[in-house]
Amino acid sequence: MTEFSETPDPSVLVYDLAVVGAGPAGIAAALAAASEGARVVVIDEQRRPGGQIFRRPPREFPGATAKFSAGYPWAYDLLERADAASGITWMHETTAFGVFRDRPEGSLQGNADPSPDGIQLAVSGPDGAVRLPVRRLLIATGAYDLPVAIPGWTLPGVMMAGAVQGFIKSQRLLVSERLVLAGSHPLLLVVADQLRAAGADIAEIAFARGLPSPREMLAALPAVPGHTRLFAETGVAVARLLAAGVRISTNTVATRALGTDRVDGAELARVDANWRVTGKPRIVPASTLVLGYGFQASTELARQAGCGMLYNSAKGGWIVGHDANMATSSPGIYVAGEPTGVAGAEQSRAEGHLAGLAVARDLGLGAAPASALDDARHAVAHAQKFSTVVQRMFAPNRKGLAALATPETTVCRCELVTREHVTGVLAHNPHLSSASGVKLECRSGMGPCQGRYCETTVASLVALERGRSMADVGNFTAHVPVKPVPVSALTVLDGP
């Protein structure tokens, strides 16, 4: 049976593989590596494996079962295999906040190439913090909702689509009775259908783009085989919403959240193909505004570990580069799932399985034939046919979203930095042309979230003001701790 533990197994001095993230990618990688004889530890912030996509209620809930999308019939089997697996230690409710390497004996820091072995992962959990020595590390940290800074977005009652869905899945909690949903990602429609089924009053759904054009539909045909359930599920959700009288407005965005102490309405406006506001705003009363413009790849740990990064807006912004075996540019560190590009659960599972097999082969474990890696790569390629279509059709217009922030709009919630402050810094410092430079000058991204809420907006503003691409503007530098942890956890950083 799986070892459920909040602390590392004392009988294991060095794990063969540490997996950060227990979503489809992390689970598949752990199972594949463990089946080849690897000693695996999985670190995850939730109480049960599954990640956000397969989030389950706590075991204490009566009849604690979850219903997953019909498009992922393999989800139940994957979670059952995780629960029954041997050779895996699970560290739940635990945060990985830094990656370190042992220095070769007798060498000065930076004076020798890092060894694939000798990786140390700093984690903080219910029983304190520890540095785990591991031979290989797999980063499968998933993604988070794309933050969009609009006037009023810091009011209580403004939520992201993934968070609202998470409450329904894990706590069976309806966050509000009357909601407006605004965004451009198809998940928004699925969430709206789930909210309606739970008893919520959906005042309106504002979809930033129009209906898919015939050309887009034709380009999507190669993705249909093997994914008809996912396409059908979204179509059925839209049909149910329309049958229930829910208004779905296309080419419409939320331009403001209204209210004093909390949300009491949403301001919506028509936009053109470039998401520029063209129509007169109108107000829709509601107690919650749900935003769902897509997702950002969670890459902070990979950046701090020195992995090479690439920028791809449609895939989730800054993503982690990798080779055909999911190995990154940093020796001994692999990546799978959304950090390689937000692509959905099927591709995440396929990438995780490939990475797990590749790690085992890298370590000289198991007896899986070379053909197993080839089959795993083919599975990834098949999943990419679907994910590429979704990414292309529903890519966020970052320039249009950045333009929604007024001068007084807070863009960095942690440090209370406004758009006006950022543009003022750029005006007074003509040499500044990078996101990290602005971060140092006005403290955006230096708070507890370390830029997860403001990096994309700040970078978009720099790109707008300087006439540069987002890739040229760069990302925020990631530092330890990459996520908030108790101050006491930092004491492990002074270890050997």
Side-chain angles (χ1 to χ4, degrees):
M1 293 294 291
T2 301
E3 304 164 48
F4 288 98
S5 174
E6 307 302 343
T7 57
D9 184 348
S11 66
V12 180
L13 297 179
V14 180
Y15 284 100
D16 294 314
L17 173 64
V19 178
V20 181
I27 294 174
L31 290 172
S35 69
E36 296 295 301
R39 296 165 298 183
V40 180
V41 59
V42 181
I43 297 92
D44 192 75
E45 296 176 358
Q46 303 301 323
R47 298 181 65 183
R48 303 180 70 183
Q52 294 296 334
I53 184 68
F54 301 138
R55 198 162 179 175
R56 296 183 283 176
R59 297 178 186 276
E60 296 84 357
F61 274 35
T65 58
K67 183 179 179 181
F68 305 127
S69 166
Y72 304 116
W74 44 263
Y76 301 96
D77 176 68
L78 183 72
L79 295 175
E80 287 177 1
R81 289 171 57 207
D83 289 341
S86 59
I88 302 175
T89 297
W90 302 83
M91 296 180 67
H92 294 301
E93 298 181 273
T94 300
T95 298
F97 65 91
V99 179
F100 306 90
R101 291 188 186 271
D102 294 333
R103 271 184 275 169
E105 188 174 352
S107 71
L108 297 176
Q109 186 173 9
N111 203 32
D113 292 334
S115 167
D117 297 87
I119 299 171
Q120 293 192 19
L121 181 67
V123 302
S124 175
D127 294 327
V130 67
R131 285 170 68 164
L132 295 175
V134 300
R135 298 182 65 193
R136 298 292 184 271
L137 171 65
L138 173 71
I139 296 175
T141 42
Y144 51 88
D145 291 90
L146 172 65
V148 178
I150 62 174
W153 77 302
T154 59
L155 282 171
V158 178
M159 300 184 68
M160 300 299 177
V164 171
Q165 188 184 50
F167 276 115
I168 295 175
K169 287 181 178 180
S170 64
Q171 301 295 323
R172 299 170 183 169
L173 178 66
L174 191 61
V175 299
S176 177
E177 293 185 354
R178 183 174 172 82
L179 309 94
V180 168
L181 292 86
S184 59
H185 195 276
L187 175 68
L188 194 72
L189 301 170
V190 175
V191 172
D193 185 47
Q194 293 172 336
L195 287 167
R196 186 202 59 80
D201 175 15
I202 308 299
E204 187 168 341
I205 301 172
F207 215 62
R209 59 156 294 155
L211 296 175
S213 67
R215 178 178 294 181
E216 287 177 315
M217 297 297 290
L218 185 63
L221 288 179
V224 173
H227 302 96
T228 52
R229 289 186 178 184
L230 282 172
F231 282 110
E233 186 174 47
T234 303
V236 169
V238 172
R240 280 196 293 249
L241 291 166
L242 293 174
V246 176
R247 178 177 179 177
I248 302 178
S249 302
T250 57
N251 300 111
T252 303
V253 301
T255 53
R256 184 182 300 270
L258 304 171
T260 303
D261 299 322
R262 62 161 296 111
V263 170
D264 58 29
E267 182 184 271
L268 306 179
R270 294 276 295 175
V271 294
D272 61 17
N274 293 315
W275 294 17
R276 290 187 297 248
V277 175
T278 59
K280 182 180 179 180
R282 55 188 174 84
I283 296 174
V284 180
S287 54
T288 296
L289 171 61
V290 181
L291 302 177
Y293 288 94
F295 299 91
Q296 288 282 100
S298 181
T299 60
E300 296 79 16
L301 190 65
R303 296 186 208 178
Q304 185 270 319
C307 301
M309 306 296 297
L310 305 169
Y311 187 80
N312 188 310
S313 180
K315 289 188 175 184
W318 286 102
I319 59 176
V320 185
H322 60 85
D323 66 12
N325 289 332
M326 310 308 296
T328 73
S329 62
S330 188
I333 299 181
Y334 290 71
V335 66
E338 312 292 41
T340 72
V342 179
E346 182 176 346
Q347 186 168 324
S348 293
R349 177 187 63 150
E351 289 183 353
H353 181 71
L354 170 59
L357 292 178
V359 167
R361 177 172 284 267
D362 183 16
L363 294 172
L365 302 172
S371 60
L373 283 174
D374 291 334
D375 291 342
R377 294 190 195 100
H378 287 311
V380 172
H382 176 72
Q384 284 175 338
K385 292 180 180 180
F386 173 75
S387 63
T388 300
V389 168
V390 174
Q391 290 162 355
R392 182 175 60 244
M393 290 180 67
F394 300 101
N397 186 320
R398 295 176 189 269
K399 184 177 180 179
L401 293 176
L404 296 175
T406 62
E408 300 79 17
T409 302
T410 297
V411 295
C412 174
R413 302 166 65 116
C414 299
E415 298 293 331
L416 301 179
V417 178
T418 63
R419 173 177 180 163
E420 186 175 41
H421 188 179
V422 173
T423 54
V425 164
L426 290 170
H428 287 89
N429 298 274
H431 61 284
L432 281 183
S433 58
S434 69
S436 278
V438 172
K439 173 184 177 180
L440 293 172
E441 184 67 20
C442 67
R443 295 192 57 80
S444 59
M446 290 191 178
C449 87
Q450 287 292 285
R452 277 178 285 275
Y453 279 101
C454 68
E455 180 188 67
T456 186
T457 303
V458 170
S460 295
L461 293 175
V462 177
L464 282 170
E465 293 292 326
R466 296 291 185 251
R468 305 183 72 186
S469 69
M470 292 283 282
D472 289 336
V473 166
N475 52 39
F476 287 169
T477 302
H479 298 286
V480 177
V482 297
K483 284 192 174 183
V485 292
V487 173
S488 59
L490 303 182
T491 59
V492 302
L493 303 184
D494 195 33

